[in-house]
Structures are given as structure tokens and as C-alpha cells.
């Protein structure tokens, strides 16, 4: 099997196609002459009758011979045309046998053809700041959702999580007919909306989220706008789909999309449920915690309560859906209303009760100088998530030059993680419960002073409560606390946050292109955290070890000025900017408050140079100062999991770093060659590292302030459309190198060098035929050097094939192969995966029937490896078994 993976894929495809209906083809051949001489270049058309469109056509060769193959039978007509000869027609009766028809032409007819003007329809239209792509030019037949289409467009990079990038910039939003539903949560739309209503995809460059800043703001943001076909506007349309396995094991998926996109009002209803591994709810986090940085009027981004314990599995380089034993449910109703020309109202609502199970076994090997031991874990994680979330926005145009906007949300966030864990042979149950809520309100006012200047002011209020209860029913810490007779451990956390921020931005753009921005910002944030760590004794008494509980709070009041000025001179652009602020901090510990006042200065210089018509060079140099956050200064230890305890600096600190990035861009997504190259270096003058006590049953990590951490990285993306092959080659390459220090008690300071390299070469065909493919190969290498050097090499290959078998009948075969390098003295293993689907579209009833087979090789386990500066680990994950599902999709 190992040496014949791709042959298995081809055989499976052929077997799948073998069950399709086949039609024998009839050969019509003959010779065309005039006055006994053969005539070449004669066009031969096969038609039903003299008036119908042709069914097939060919041309005679230099010997006057022609050959036509067709699957049609019955009465037909052969039409022959050639310059300088009278047209001819021959009636034929086609059956199951081949037929020979010789024809003699008569000289005459038209001696000179009239001039013919061909109007070719280009697949795109290029505007000043807009690239408009014709959807039909990119369809190959296997597209179901908007995301499937976007993957086919060169220059658009669709990540494994559904994120969309143009070059190295992630899009701000995906709109429909100019209106946005989900902002950065656009995956809810692109991964669920059918591609059928789409007519155009617009790539909006230099995009402004605020309509009054269009033409004023100096923006590099990118957004997408989906335009619908005329017959899909202002009417209800959508799709209903369901699939399931007819035998055990039972897997199912069902969804409904209902939408109406009119000029004034838009509605989008989404309901989905599945247990086949598809994550239906991850995009909601982008709505709970919005992020649109570097924009006039924005404030309060990235403000939320810290997470102490997070058991979300990390699967680097592997398909998450194959390990996700889930029961996802999502119901979402969203609307945009325009009751008046000046008023726009948007409302979003989500309900998503979800259950997820993960099964994994891991072996962690610690080898740090004289500290050597191995831990084993057999883990079953049951995760339950219940989120109820609502978001509303109101936008009112006070006048042609001013707009008042309000947005708010309210969310109930519940989560429960249950671990059934076998740790070094000892069974234990670990339980984490969170029952919190979040509310976030923003009020913004924009006044356009003139065609070249505007004022944007905003105020935001955030309140979040995230209480957590954590417990384990076994005691592993007798060596740590020197206390016996303990039956279990618990930790209760009160985690609260209040935020209030104000900002006012003045922006102006001169006729020369020079741009100026000045802003005044004030932010007040109050965080409060109570951590109560308890040992439950056998006699039901509670013991609270010294140094393992916290009652802290941090109040910060930050007032700063932002100044930015862009100078444009011919093909050059320079932008110096500075953030200068004064911060008052109050750190509370058990009722005692430490106050601190300090200045923060963060200057930056960026420049752009248009080297030539297709080439642009960009550079950025920055110096940044920030204050340590609450979890970095917390004074006592707290638990972050069954073996992990962490404590902060126990004092307020300022962190400084500098960075430089150089980027070169050649062409754009419409060119046959498009490239984006960047290289950068960062020096952290002050950074937070760990001083650890490593033990088989526990790790104590005390955060310490160190100097001079260095990081160097580069990224490259090259797209090249090779016309002779009618396909797009793409190369993605990147590397990330870091040098820093960490301390292990008993070993001392350790100098650590870490590095990672990632290279991917892929090819996607755009053949105008029934068959297309997408194939590629990826190689990842990770190295880590300290007392000794560790190296891990992983490779990944894929071959996805698509065939339009006949009208309405389509087949897909997706193949993947993973290989991990030698690790823990275990011989490397290769894993093969194949998924097959066969669909039949019955267009007259708008229904598609489908049969899908997943994990054809029935792999039940999958191993991967990681290396860190303290341990090496191999983790084995349980996979969803092989299954075959029958499905139906109805569009209306």
C-alpha cells in the first residue's frame, strides 16, 4: 500500500466511475472530394436537422478524410462547408454500427468571407480600486459553497480555518450586494452559502469601513463583495441538504440556508447540525471579540478576560475534522433593514449547543541535563459548549456629511470540559466549568468636514464575567505540598473585567496625496481576579497551601496621543507616526494597592516605493513599549491544568521591542505571475520567560523578566499561471528563527535556539475539459537546540481529482498522505487517506443526489510529534472511522 498510494486513488476513481451509466459511441467517417481531388479543411457538422444546433463537428485532413464520434442515434444531418465550394448536406440514419459517408463538393459559393468581429468576454474587469471577477470563468463543476469557488481564484489564499487572504493581507469582511453581515466572522457565510446565486466577486482594495473616509483614509485594507445574478435578487432563495449513513456507525449532516437580498432589506437564516467532524461554530468568536485595528475611530479591540485553562486540541498540519467526534448544532437569524434612506438596522442572533469529544494518547519525554523522565497520558476529553449571542447595529445618517452609529452585543458563554485521564497508570477525572457572560457597546460619530477631511469620535463600554470551577479527583502533589490524606483538588476563579474608552480622530488628505491623522485616546480598564486553590482532605476539611491562591486586581488609565503623517512624492511614500501616552496603574493584592505612573513611547516609520509598474517595495521600522498585563504580574501560583502551575512577576513592568519588515510585491492576482516576499527581524529588549521546576507530577513555572530575545522570519508566495499546461503553480515558503533564554531549577540558564521551515508547492489545473486536478507537496522542519539538538521533519502530499463524467454527473477523489520523521527511536510512519464522492444533479427539479465515502483506508489512529524547550512528545489521536453516506440537496 505504501508504494502504490496514488495508484489506489486512480483505481478507486475508476471503480466509482464504473458504476455510472455508459453510452456506446458511433463513428461517422468518410472522404470529401471535388472533381476527384481530396479537399482539406472542410468543416463537417452533425445536427439533428437542418435548423438545430450542431451536436459535434470536425475538419477534414489533407487527404480529405474526417472522423466524427457521437453517442446520439436516429435521423441526423451532416453539413459540410468550405471556402470556394457550395455547402452540402447529407441525411444519415445512425444506429449501433459505424457508418461511412463520402461526399463530393461542387465549386462555387462565397469566394471571400465577410469580416467577422469577435467580442471576447474577459473573466475580469479592472477598476481603480476594484477587481471584478466573473464567477462563471472560475467554475469547474464541483463547487458547492462560496468558499469552494474562492479556492479556485488565483491570488486568494484560503486557510485551513476558512480565513481569506489576498497576498498577505486578510480580508476585512465579505459583503453581499454591498452590505456586511459578519465582519471577520465571514466564514459563517462563505462556508455555508451556495455558489449558485453568484454572478461576480469583487476584490475591493484600499477599502474603508467608514463610508465618509473613502478617498480620505490612507487604507491598505482589502474586502470582498459578492454580487448576485439578477434573477436571485429581491426574492427568497436557499437550499436544504441532508445526508446520513444507512448502516452503523451513524453519521449525519443537515443544513438549511434561507436568504433574501433586496435593495433595502436583507435576510439570512442558517441552521445546521452534524456529527461528522465539521466545525459549525468556530467563526462566532470573531463576532464575540471584534478586531478591526488601525482604523480611525476604533477603540477597545482585543479587550477580554484572560483564559486560565484551555484544552482545545492542537493539531499542527492535520485535518481537524478527522479527529472531531462532535455533535454541532447552530441556528442563526440575521437581518439588515433599511426602513428609511437615512437609517440602517442590523441584527444578528446565534444559538449553538455543541458537544465535542477528543481521544488522544501521549508520551512526553523530558531530557534536560540530569533531569530525565517520561510521562504517559491516555485522555478522553468531552467538551460541551452552549453559547447564546445577539448583536445589533444602528446607523443613522444625520446629514450627507455626518453619521451616528451604535453597535452592541450580549452573549451568554457556557463551557464544560470533562477529562477522563489515565496519567502514568493512575486514573483521574478532571472537570472545568465556565458560566460567563459578555456585553459590549460602541457609539461612534463621523462628521465629514470637507471632501478632504473628517472627524471620527467613538466611545466603548465592555463588561465581562468569566467565573470558572476546576477540580480533579486524585492527588498528585504530595511531593510539592508535603501533605497527605488528600482526596482531590479544586480551584475556583472569579474573573471580571470592566472597560471604558474614548477616542477622537481627525484625518485629512491633501490634493498631493499627503495624509495626516491626529487622535486623542483615553482608556480605563479594571480587572479583578480571585483564585482560590484548595486541597480537599479525606475528612472533608479544606487546606489552602500558602502561595497558591490570589486575590488581585489591576486598574489602568491610559491617555495617549497618536500622530501620523504620510508624504507622497512621485513613486515614494513616507509615513512617520508616533504613539505617546501616560499610564497610571494600580495593582491590588489582598487589599494593598501599588501605584505606578509611566510614559509609553512607540514610534514607527513605514515607506513604500513603486519600483516599476508591477513592482512595489514596502518597509516598516518600529519601536514599541507596553506594560505587562495582569496574568504576567500575578504574585502567586495558579493551576493551568493537571500538572501545570504558573506565577507572574509580582511587580509591574514595561516591555520594549523593535522590529523591521521589508516586503516586495510583484504584480497582482490578475497577472500570470504574482509574487509576495517579506523578511523581518524583531529584537525584544525586555521579554518574559520562565524559571521552571520540573517534576514528573507537576511543573512550577515562575515568570521572569529577561533581556534580548531575537527573532528573524521570512515568507514568500509565488503564483505562476503556466499557459502550456493551463494551470496555476503556487509556491509557499517560510522560516521562523528565534534565540532566547529560559531557566530550569537544578540546570540553570539555558540558551535556546528554535527554528521552523515550511515549503509547499502546488498545482491547480484550469483545463476546459471534464477532468481537473489539484495536487501539491508540503515539507515542514522544526529544530530546537539547547543542551542537545532535536530535529523533526514532517511531509504532506495531496492529489485531488475531479471529473465531469456526464451531464449532471460528477465524481471527486481526494487523496492525502502524511509522513513524520524518525522520533523517539520509532521508525517513521506514513498515513494514507482517501475520500470519494459521486453526485448527480437533476436540474429540472433543482436537486442533487450524492454518495460520499470518507476515510476509505479506515485509519483509526494518527500520530504526530512536537518538540519544545523542555520536552518531546508523540501524541496519538483517535480518528473517525470509515463511513459511506447518502445525501440530497434541494435548491430553490
Amino acid at each position: 500500500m505504501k508504494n502504490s498510494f496514488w495508484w489506489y486513488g486512480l483505481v478507486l476513481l475508476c471503480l466509482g466511475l464504473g458504476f455510472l451509466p455508459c453510452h456506446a459511441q458511433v463513428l461517422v467517417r468518410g472522404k470529401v472530394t471535388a472533381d476527384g481531388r481530396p479537399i482539406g479543411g472542410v468543416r463537417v457538422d452533425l445536427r439533428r436537422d437542418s435548423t438545430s444546433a450542431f451536436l459535434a463537428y470536425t475538419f477534414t485532413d489533407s487527404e480529405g478524410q474526417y472522423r466524427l464520434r457521437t453517442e446520439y442515434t436516429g435521423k441526423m444531418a451532416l453539413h459540410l462547408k468550405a471556402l470556394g465550394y457550395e455547402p452540402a448536406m447529407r441525411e444519415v440514419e445512425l444506429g449501433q454500427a459505424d457508418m461511412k459517408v463520402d461526399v463530393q463538393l461542387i465549386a462555387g459559393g462565397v469566394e471571400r468571407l465577410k469580416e467577422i468581429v469577435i467580442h471576447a468576454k474577459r473573466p475580469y474587469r479592472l477598476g481603480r480600486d476594484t477587481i471584478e471577477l466573473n464567477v462563471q470563468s472560475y467554475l469547474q463543476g464541483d463547487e458547492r459553497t462560496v468558499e469552494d469557488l474562492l479556492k479556485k481564484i488565483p491570488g486568494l489564499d484560503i486557510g485551513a480555518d476558512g480565513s481569506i487572504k489576498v497576498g498577505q493581507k486578510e480580508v476585512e469582511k465579505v459583503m453581499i450586494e454591498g452590505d456586511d453581515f459578519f465582519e471577520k466572522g465571514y466564514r459563517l457565510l462563505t462556508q455555508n452559502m451556495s455558489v449558485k446565486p453568484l454572478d461576480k466577486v469583487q476584490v475591493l482594495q484600499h477599502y474603508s469601513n467608514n463610508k465618509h473616509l473613502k478617498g480620505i483614509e490612507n487604507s491598505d485594507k482589502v474586502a470582498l463583495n459578492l454580487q448576485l445574478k439578477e434573477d436571485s435578487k429581491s426574492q427568497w432563495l436557499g437550499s436544504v441538504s441532508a445526508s446520513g449513513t444507512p448502516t452503523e456507525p451513524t453519521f449525519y449532516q443537515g443544513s438549511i440556508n434561507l436568504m433574501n437580498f433586496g435593495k433595502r432589506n436583507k435576510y439570512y437564516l442558517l441552521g445546521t447540525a452534524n456529527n461528522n467532524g465539521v466545525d459549525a461554530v468556530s467563526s462566532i468568536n470573531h463576532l464575540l471579540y471584534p478586531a478591526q485595528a488601525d482604523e480611525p475611530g476604533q477603540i477597545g479591540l482585543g479587550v477580554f478576560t484572560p483564559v486560565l485553562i484551555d484544552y482545545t486540541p492542537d493539531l499542527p498540519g492535520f485535518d481537524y475534522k478527522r479527529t472531531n467526534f462532535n455533535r454541532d448544532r447552530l441556528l442563526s437569524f440575521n437581518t439588515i433593514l433599511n426602513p428609511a434612506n437615512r437609517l440602517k438596522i442590523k441584527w444578528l442572533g446565534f444559538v449553538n449547543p455543541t458537544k465535542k469529544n477528543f481521544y488522544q494518547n501521549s508520551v512526553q519525554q523530558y531530557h534536560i541535563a540530569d533531569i530525565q523522565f517520561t510521562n504517559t497520558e491516555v485522555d478522553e476529553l468531552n467538551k460541551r459548549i452552549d453559547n447564546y449571542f445577539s448583536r445589533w447595529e444602528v446607523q443613522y445618517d444625520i446629514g450627507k456629511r455626518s453619521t451616528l452609529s451604535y453597535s452592541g452585543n450580549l452573549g451568554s458563554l457556557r463551557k464544560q470540559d470533562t477529562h477522563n485521564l489515565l496519567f502514568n497508570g493512575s486514573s483521574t477525572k478532571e472537570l472545568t466549568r465556565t458560566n460567563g457572560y459578555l456585553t459590549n457597546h460602541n457609539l461612534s460619530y463621523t462628521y465629514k468636514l470637507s471632501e478632504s477631511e473628517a472627524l471620527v469620535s467613538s466611545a466603548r463600554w465592555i463588561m465581562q464575567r468569566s467565573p470558572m470551577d476546576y477540580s480533579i479527583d486524585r492527588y498528585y502533589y504530595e511531593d510539592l505540598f508535603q501533605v497527605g490524606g488528600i482526596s482531590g483538588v479544586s480551584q475556583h476563579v472569579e474573573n471580571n473585567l470592566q472597560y471604558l474608552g474614548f477616542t477622537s480622530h481627525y484625518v485629512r488628505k491633501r490634493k498631493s496625496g499627503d495624509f495626516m491623522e491626529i487622535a486623542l485616546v483615553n482608556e480605563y480598564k479594571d480587572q479583578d481576579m480571585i483564585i482560590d486553590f484548595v486541597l480537599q482532605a479525606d475528612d472533608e476539611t479544606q487546606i489552602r497551601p500558602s502561595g497558591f491562591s490570589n486575590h488581585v486586581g489591576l486598574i489602568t488609565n491610559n491617555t495617549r496621543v497618536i500622530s501620523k503623517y504620510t508624504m507622497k512624492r512621485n513613486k515614494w511614500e513616507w509615513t512617520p507616526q508616533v504613539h505617546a501616552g501616560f499610564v497610571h496603574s494600580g495593582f491590588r493584592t489582598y487589599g494593598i494597592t501599588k501605584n505606578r505612573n509611566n510614559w509609553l513611547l512607540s514610534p514607527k516609520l513605514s515607506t513604500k516605493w513603486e519600483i516599476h509598474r508591477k513592482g512595489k517595495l514596502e518597509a516598516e521600522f518600529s519601536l514599541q513599549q507596553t506594560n505587562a498585563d495582569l496574568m504576567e504580574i500575578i504574585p502567586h501560583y495558579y493551576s493551568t491544568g493537571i500538572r501545570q502551575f504558573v506565577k507572574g512577576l509580582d511587580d509591574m513592568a514595561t516591555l520594549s521591542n523593535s522590529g523591521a519588515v521589508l516586503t516586495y510585491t510583484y504584480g497582482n492576482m490578475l497577472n500570470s505571475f504574482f509574487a509576495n516576499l517579506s523578511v523581518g527581524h524583531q529584537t525584544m529588549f525586555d521579554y518574559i520567560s520562565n524559571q521552571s521546576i520540573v517534576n514528573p507530577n507537576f511543573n512550577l513555572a515562575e515568570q521572569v523578566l529577561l533581556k534580548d530575545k531575537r527573532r528573524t522570519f521570512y515568507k514568500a508566495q509565488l503564483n505562476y499561471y503556466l499557459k502550456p499546461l493551463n494551470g496555476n503553480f503556487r509556491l509557499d515558503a517560510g522560516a521562523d528563527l528565534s534565540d532566547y533564554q529560559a531557566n530550569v531549577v537544578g540546570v540553570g540558564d539555558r540558551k535556546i535556539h528554535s527554528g521552523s521551515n515550511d515549503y509547499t508547492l502546488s498545482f491547480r489545473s484550469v483545463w476546459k475539459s471534464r477532468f481537473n486536478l489539484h495536487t501539491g507537496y508540503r515539507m515542514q522542519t522544526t529544530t530546537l537546540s539547547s543542551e542537545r539538538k532535536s530535529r523533526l521533519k514532517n511531509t504532506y502530499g495531496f492529489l485531488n481529482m475531479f471529473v465531469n463524467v456526464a451531464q449532471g454527473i460528477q465524481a471527486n477523489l481526494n487523496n492525502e498522505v502524511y509522513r513524520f520523521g524518525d522520533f523517539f527511536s520509532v521508525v517513521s510512519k506514513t498515513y494514507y487517506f482517501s475520500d470519494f464522492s459521486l453526485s448527480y444533479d437533476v436540474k429540472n427539479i433543482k436537486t442533487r443526489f450524492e454518495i460520499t465515502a470518507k476515510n476509505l483506508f479506515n485509519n483509526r489512529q494518527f500520530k504526530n510529534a512536537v518538540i519544545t524547550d523542555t520536552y518531546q512528545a508523540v501524541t496519538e489521536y483517535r480518528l473517525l472511522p470509515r463511513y459511506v453516506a447518502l445525501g440530497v440537496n434541494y435548491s430553490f
Side-chain angles (χ1 to χ4, degrees), residues 220-394:
D220 281 333
K221 293 187 285 289
V222 181
L224 298 185
N225 181 46
L226 309 178
Q227 289 191 329
L228 306 180
K229 299 174 183 176
E230 287 300 324
D231 59 0
S232 298
K233 297 178 182 178
S234 300
Q235 63 174 312
W236 288 100
L237 55 103
S239 63
V240 179
S241 66
S243 67
T245 53
T247 60
E248 296 288 342
T250 302
F251 291 99
Y252 65 86
Q253 181 174 10
S255 67
I256 179 171
N257 285 267
L258 184 61
M259 58 198 78
N260 187 316
F261 302 123
K263 290 184 178 180
R264 299 190 66 87
N265 302 323
K266 294 178 174 64
Y267 306 92
Y268 183 62
L269 172 67
L270 170 64
T272 182
N274 78 86
N275 74 336
N276 62 357
V278 177
D279 192 342
V281 298
S282 61
S283 299
I284 293 180
N285 289 331
H286 297 277
L287 297 172
L288 291 171
Y289 312 110
Q292 291 179 351
D294 194 22
E295 182 174 311
Q298 284 293 340
I299 194 171
L301 304 177
V303 176
F304 48 84
T305 55
V307 178
L308 274 69
I309 299 176
D310 185 7
Y311 281 116
T312 302
D314 184 19
L315 297 170
F318 185 66
D319 189 354
Y320 170 80
K321 295 189 293 294
R322 297 193 186 276
T323 67
N324 185 23
F325 292 78
N326 69 321
R327 194 185 72 179
D328 280 16
R329 291 172 290 172
L330 171 66
L331 181 62
S332 173
F333 180 75
N334 317 281
T335 181
I336 299 175
L337 306 175
N338 289 266
N341 291 333
R342 293 186 175 187
L343 181 64
K344 179 181 290 187
I345 301 171
K346 180 165 71 173
W347 186 82
L348 312 177
F350 298 89
V351 178
N352 69 295
T354 299
K355 292 182 179 179
K356 300 179 182 292
N357 297 329
F358 297 94
Y359 304 89
Q360 60 185 36
N361 306 327
S362 65
V363 178
Q364 297 178 351
Q365 187 180 76
Y366 290 78
H367 188 173
I368 311 169
D370 295 333
I371 302 175
Q372 298 182 34
F373 59 88
T374 299
N375 282 338
T376 62
E377 295 182 6
V378 180
D379 185 10
E380 176 185 341
L381 170 62
N382 303 303
K383 183 183 288 286
R384 179 172 179 174
I385 302 171
D386 293 289
N387 290 336
Y388 302 89
F389 173 74
S390 179
R391 177 182 174 90
W392 53 93
E393 296 182 16
V394 179

Side-chain angles (χ1 to χ4, degrees), residues 294-295 476 530 532 551 679 729 777 843 866:
D294 194 22
E295 182 174 311
Y476 293 99
I530 300 173
D532 187 20
H551 189 170
V679 60
F729 284 92
Y777 180 79
K843 292 187 177 180
V866 296

Side-chain angles (χ1 to χ4, degrees), residues 628-629 631-634 637-638 645-651 653-656 684-693 700-710 738-745 748-754 786 868-870:
D629 61 31
M631 302 311 296
E632 292 170 331
I633 63 175
I634 201 164
Y637 285 104
Y638 59 92
F645 294 90
V646 180
K647 72 183 293 286
L649 301 173
D650 194 17
D651 198 6
T654 299
L655 310 177
S656 302
M684 302 176 195
F685 303 112
D686 315 281
Y687 70 98
I688 294 177
S689 185
N690 290 326
Q691 178 176 287
S692 303
I693 298 176
L700 298 180
E702 179 181 354
Q703 295 179 317
V704 293
L705 193 63
L706 298 179
K707 301 287 186 180
D708 295 332
K709 177 179 179 178
R710 301 179 185 276
S738 295
D739 291 282
Y740 60 96
Q741 283 189 333
N743 181 282
V744 174
V745 174
D749 291 335
R750 306 167 63 223
K751 293 184 178 181
I752 299 170
H753 173 78
S754 67
S786 184
T868 72
D869 58 14
T870 55

Side-chain angles (χ1 to χ4, degrees), residues 196 840-843 845-849 888-891:
K196 290 183 178 180
Y840 178 46
D841 270 307
V842 187
K843 292 187 177 180
I845 60 173
K846 300 181 180 180
T847 303
R848 183 181 73 250
F849 300 93
V888 60
N889 179 280
Y890 172 67
S891 300

